[in-house]
Amino acid sequence: MRLRTMLIWLAVVPTVAMGAQVAVTAERLLTQADHLRGDLAASKRIGEPLFRLMVELQAERKLTAARWAGAPARDGDLRDRRAATDKAVAEFRRLSADSDATPEPGQAAEHVQEVKTRLEQLGAFRSRADARSGVAAQTMAYYDGVIDGITGLYQGAFSHAEDAGLLQESRPVIAMLSASEMLARQDTILTLAGPSRELTPTAFGEFLNDAGAHQHLYDTWVVPYLPPAAKQTYEGITASDAWKTKLRVETAVIAQHKITDSGMKLPAEVNDWSTAYPVFSAQLSELGNQRSRDLLAHADEKAAELEGDVYWLVGGSAGALLLVVAVVVVTTRSVLRRLRRLHERTVAIAEETLPDVVARLHRGQPVDDGALPAVRGDQDEVGQISDAFARVVAVSVDGHRQLAAERHGFGMFASGIASRTGNLVSRQLSLTEDIQDTFGHDEALLAELMRSDQLTVGMRRQIENLLILSGGEVPDPHTEPMRVADLLREAAAEVEDFRRIERHALDEASVEPSVISQISHLLAELLDNATRFSPPRSKVVIRAELVADGLSVEIEDRGPRVGESGYEEMNRRLHSAPPYAELAENAHRLGLFVVGHLAEQLGATVTLRRSVYGGPRRSSYCRASCWRGRPPRPRP
């Protein structure tokens, strides 16, 4: 990825991210406001009818308990109460039918279905109560279950609210509703005791549990969360005579009950409950209704506040985005402009200045340090990058200068060693020739001396290879031109297996004396390679002929097949001077590098290609400056 593209992305991504964040935040706030609006709509639509249904069910439960217990209760009162309950049920069913098209939020739909399912059994339980079929506890448990479902509906209305304040404010409202049901159940249980004031152990235990649950709900979930005004109202209720009567009755039931054969006998104080209960229950109900109204009002205010926040967020964010875009565009253009200038300077140094400096160092020429970038000490980031590049160039130039000096020194060292060793080898060859002249009559000794001479010639060629690769020159003792045929013979004589070499050359052409040793060495390396990598009994053919503007020499053998990639790699080594690192990695195949060096010095071209036998064919082409002579005569 281009730096320009990266900078553009650097500008675009934060802008898009900021816009996306604003959109997500606005959507979340709008969704939260919609949820609150939905809660408000659901509460206003079903809140009051549900509360009326719960009150009617509690009243019907109490009359049903009184009739079951044998207390004086007129049938007309029960019918009127059941009619009121049926009316509330019908209103609830109508609202629930409307909610099927508009699903209630949260888990309210589950509670609605649960209440509808329980209400379908209302007629059956009424019939049981009228016939006193079964036990009273089952009928009371049915009413309790329906009312619990209604309480669950209220609890689910704000259970999913995303606003923590509203969620915390809704908890005491739901707790107060549950507490009022606990009080109603206490009233129902005492009514179920009837004139005999006797309860079953189960009913007695439920009364105690309901009393404890009511007190626990207020102490834990209501009073700590009430605002000061509501808390003051609650303290007034608890200080009233009716509340004191409630506490006194509960204490008397707990402390003064008697266990009989038929159950639990309650004290006479329970008769005071029916007088006090309507007073404090109405006061607590009004307190709960007030908290419900306050909760709905706060939810409405919160929804409006969220919608206002969305408008401010969108407007402010749009202005901020425009400002950010302007700043980013200006900054990006400035950075790109400076980076473009830095790029142009860097490219000029990398493509022109530095290669010229390195080439001059390799040639041993002096370098003008003024042409190199200098460290300016700028404090900004682009200037620091420019200074860092200048330091890199300085280190690179110093490294190349040191490398050139070391390479030149190593070349001089290797050239000196090769020259001294070459002198020793030449003396060895002279000594071998003297021994051949002296003991030439001994054929066995002469054969061994000739073999020793061949090995010594090979050693001399290897030493000359070292001299060539180290940058030195091969000494050339020739002072007169040499015919091409003699040159081929001289080159073949330096190969250990020279008897397998078959020569074809013209006698008319000759070679300049200054390049005889170089051409001979080049051909000897190619012939040695051909004899080493071909079958021992096969022939190696070398041909030389004149072409338009030079001399062409071809060497053909029957060596192993080589793939196209192999030929490409070998020709690359023939056509380029390798560094010392590559020479070290291919120390066992230095012949190709030597041939490449000699070809470069001679201005010749050496190419390897496939022969008709499948093995390699070595072609060498030398321009007319390497040879002299008259053109060949035309054959008849």
Side-chain angles (χ1 to χ4, degrees), residues 172 175-180 183 212-226 234 237-238 243 280-281 283-285 287-288:
M176 293 174 73
L177 189 64
S178 299
S180 68
L183 280 178
H214 174 270
Q215 191 63 37
H216 172 75
L217 286 173
Y218 265 90
D219 292 343
T220 305
W221 296 104
V222 177
V223 177
Y225 301 99
L226 290 177
Y234 175 75
I237 295 173
T238 56
W243 189 264
F280 66 76
S281 64
Q283 293 174 342
L284 290 177
S285 177
L287 178 62

Side-chain angles (χ1 to χ4, degrees), residues 505-523:
L506 298 174
D507 292 336
E508 290 81 1
S510 60
V511 179
E512 291 287 347
S514 61
V515 295
I516 291 175
S517 294
Q518 291 177 319
I519 297 178
S520 175
H521 194 104
L522 184 150
L523 295 177

Side-chain angles (χ1 to χ4, degrees), residues 407-418:
R407 182 167 184 172
H408 179 71
F410 177 77
M412 295 295 293
F413 170 76
S415 178
I417 294 295

Side-chain angles (χ1 to χ4, degrees), residues 360-415:
R360 292 176 64 87
L361 289 174
H362 285 179
R363 293 193 300 266
Q365 299 175 352
V367 176
D368 183 12
D369 292 337
L372 301 176
V375 177
R376 300 179 181 179
D378 295 335
Q379 298 299 319
D380 65 311
E381 288 75 6
V382 177
Q384 292 174 0
I385 295 175
S386 179
D387 290 349
F389 178 72
R391 294 187 182 96
V392 170
V393 172
V395 172
S396 176
V397 171
D398 291 342
H400 280 286
R401 184 181 286 113
Q402 183 178 0
L403 181 61
E406 291 179 355
R407 182 167 184 172
H408 179 71
F410 177 77
M412 295 295 293
F413 170 76
S415 178

Side-chain angles (χ1 to χ4, degrees), residues 542-618:
I542 179 171
R543 300 181 183 88
E545 59 181 348
L546 295 175
V547 292
D549 60 345
L551 179 67
S552 174
V553 181
E554 286 189 349
I555 302 173
E556 189 174 49
D557 62 70
R558 301 188 182 185
R561 291 182 178 270
V562 179
E564 293 297 331
S565 60
Y567 282 118
E568 292 178 1
E569 175 64 19
M570 289 188 290
N571 285 323
R572 184 187 66 80
R573 296 178 183 177
L574 287 173
H575 298 158
S576 61
Y580 284 128
E582 190 169 347
L583 289 175
E585 294 176 359
N586 298 272
H588 60 291
R589 303 180 66 180
L590 296 180
L592 294 176
F593 297 124
V594 173
V595 171
H597 273 277
L598 290 174
E600 183 179 2
Q601 295 174 7
L602 292 169
T605 302
V606 181
T607 304
L608 300 180
R609 63 180 185 272
R610 186 185 302 274
S611 71
V612 295
Y613 301 104
R617 173 182 289 181
R618 300 153 179 83

Side-chain angles (χ1 to χ4, degrees), residues 116-346:
K116 289 172 62 177
T117 302
R118 288 181 176 273
L119 287 176
E120 293 175 356
Q121 305 174 7
L122 180 60
F125 277 94
R126 285 174 174 175
S127 299
R128 292 181 184 180
D130 293 340
R132 295 188 180 183
S133 175
V135 294
Q138 292 179 347
T139 303
M140 299 302 106
Y142 165 74
Y143 284 101
D144 295 346
V146 177
I147 296 173
D148 287 340
I150 296 174
T151 306
L153 268 174
Y154 278 101
Q155 186 174 1
F158 284 94
S159 62
H160 68 290
E162 299 178 4
D163 186 84
L166 291 177
L167 185 61
Q168 184 175 359
E169 189 176 355
S170 67
R171 289 174 179 173
V173 174
I174 303 302
M176 293 174 73
L177 189 64
S178 299
S180 68
E181 168 61 11
M182 297 299 103
L183 280 178
R185 290 184 183 181
Q186 287 182 269
D187 183 49
T188 300
I189 292 173
L190 293 180
T191 302
L192 191 62
S196 62
R197 303 197 309 277
E198 289 187 0
L199 290 175
T200 63
T202 302
F204 180 79
E206 291 178 356
F207 178 85
L208 298 182
N209 290 336
D210 293 337
H214 174 270
Q215 191 63 37
H216 172 75
L217 286 173
Y218 265 90
D219 292 343
T220 305
W221 296 104
V222 177
V223 177
Y225 301 99
L226 290 177
K231 186 178 293 187
Q232 185 176 2
T233 301
Y234 175 75
E235 292 174 352
I237 295 173
T238 56
S240 64
D241 294 336
W243 189 264
K244 293 178 181 179
T245 301
K246 168 188 176 296
L247 296 179
R248 179 169 55 80
V249 170
E250 291 176 344
T251 303
V253 170
I254 296 173
Q256 301 177 19
H257 68 276
K258 296 180 180 180
I259 302 175
T260 63
D261 295 337
S262 58
M264 301 291 184
K265 183 70 174 181
L266 303 182
E269 284 82 352
V270 297
N271 295 326
D272 298 334
W273 176 275
S274 59
T275 303
Y277 174 76
V279 178
F280 66 76
S281 64
Q283 293 174 342
L284 290 177
S285 177
E286 178 59 27
L287 178 62
N289 291 335
Q290 182 60 43
R291 295 304 305 144
S292 298
R293 289 191 292 269
D294 293 343
L295 175 62
L296 295 177
H298 292 165
D300 193 9
E301 294 174 0
K302 184 62 179 180
E305 181 182 350
L306 289 174
E307 293 171 350
D309 291 343
V310 170
Y311 299 142
W312 280 106
L313 176 65
V314 173
S317 299
L321 280 176
L322 292 177
L323 179 61
V324 168
V325 169
V327 172
V328 167
V329 168
V330 173
T331 304
T332 302
R333 290 174 61 87
S334 175
V335 172
L336 287 176
R337 190 182 305 111
R338 298 189 62 190
L339 289 176
R340 188 184 305 111
R341 291 197 295 265
L342 175 61
H343 172 262
E344 293 173 354
R345 293 198 304 269
T346 303

Side-chain angles (χ1 to χ4, degrees), residues 459-476:
M459 292 172 56
R460 182 181 63 184
R461 184 156 48 83
Q462 296 300 326
I463 293 171
E464 291 176 352
N465 288 346
L466 177 61
L467 187 63
I468 293 169
L469 293 177
S470 63
E473 296 182 357
V474 178
D476 198 334

Side-chain angles (χ1 to χ4, degrees), residues 64-128:
T64 302
R67 185 170 183 177
W68 202 298
R74 295 182 301 174
D75 294 338
D77 293 339
L78 183 58
R79 283 195 301 270
D80 293 341
R81 181 57 57 195
R82 288 178 176 178
T85 303
D86 292 338
K87 183 178 179 180
V89 170
E91 179 68 13
F92 170 74
R93 291 185 184 279
R94 184 183 64 81
L95 292 174
S96 63
D98 294 340
S99 66
D100 291 339
T102 305
E104 302 294 343
Q107 298 178 348
E110 298 179 5
H111 292 291
V112 168
Q113 186 60 39
E114 180 182 353
V115 173
K116 289 172 62 177
T117 302
R118 288 181 176 273
L119 287 176
E120 293 175 356
Q121 305 174 7
L122 180 60
F125 277 94
R126 285 174 174 175
S127 299
R128 292 181 184 180

